[in-house]
Amino acid sequence: MKLENNNRPFKVPDNYFEGLVSQMEQIPQQNNKTIFLYKYRWAYTAVASIIALVFIGQLFFNKINSSENSTDIYDSYILSQVSESSIVEYYLTSIDEQQ
């Protein structure tokens, strides 16, 4: 937008900036408070560490249990494919060989 004849659409009241300094001095200054996060940073760090340890422990524990469960499932599958008489015969022959 081009201003024609250098006319300004807005005007500032007379002596506006002369009283501005005194008005700014009358405004009370705000005290900067310590942010709550920085005050208890050690507590947040401790809580985060404990949560991480619990999470990693849970992952490790589940990995051990899943490997044991998969071994049990595999053994159950193999035993289901063999008849009982074959299992009994296998044990009897292994006992005879050991003696």
Side-chain angles (χ1 to χ4, degrees):
M1 176 175 171
K2 209 174 198 185
L3 295 175
E4 296 179 15
N5 298 331
N6 206 9
N7 291 334
R8 298 186 182 184
F10 302 104
K11 293 186 179 186
V12 177
D14 294 335
N15 299 327
Y16 179 75
F17 290 105
E18 291 175 14
L20 184 64
V21 175
S22 64
Q23 289 176 358
M24 292 299 286
E25 289 175 354
Q26 291 176 359
I27 296 175
Q29 298 215 351
Q30 296 177 353
N31 292 334
N32 292 336
K33 294 182 179 180
T34 304
I35 298 175
F36 186 75
L37 178 68
Y38 295 117
K39 190 174 182 181
Y40 297 106
R41 180 181 283 178
W42 63 271
Y44 290 129
T45 305
V47 169
S49 299
I50 290 170
I51 290 172
L53 286 173
V54 168
F55 182 71
I56 291 170
Q58 186 68 25
L59 288 175
F60 182 71
F61 183 72
N62 282 342
K63 188 174 184 179
I64 290 174
N65 282 345
S66 67
S67 66
E68 289 175 0
N69 288 342
S70 63
T71 304
D72 292 341
I73 292 170
Y74 178 73
D75 290 344
S76 297
Y77 172 74
I78 295 297
L79 288 175
S80 71
Q81 300 300 314
V82 179
S83 66
E84 286 185 34
S85 60
S86 298
I87 295 173
V88 171
E89 185 179 325
Y90 173 77
Y91 282 126
L92 290 176
T93 54
S94 67
I95 290 174
D96 288 339
E97 289 175 2
Q98 289 178 0
Q99 292 176 358

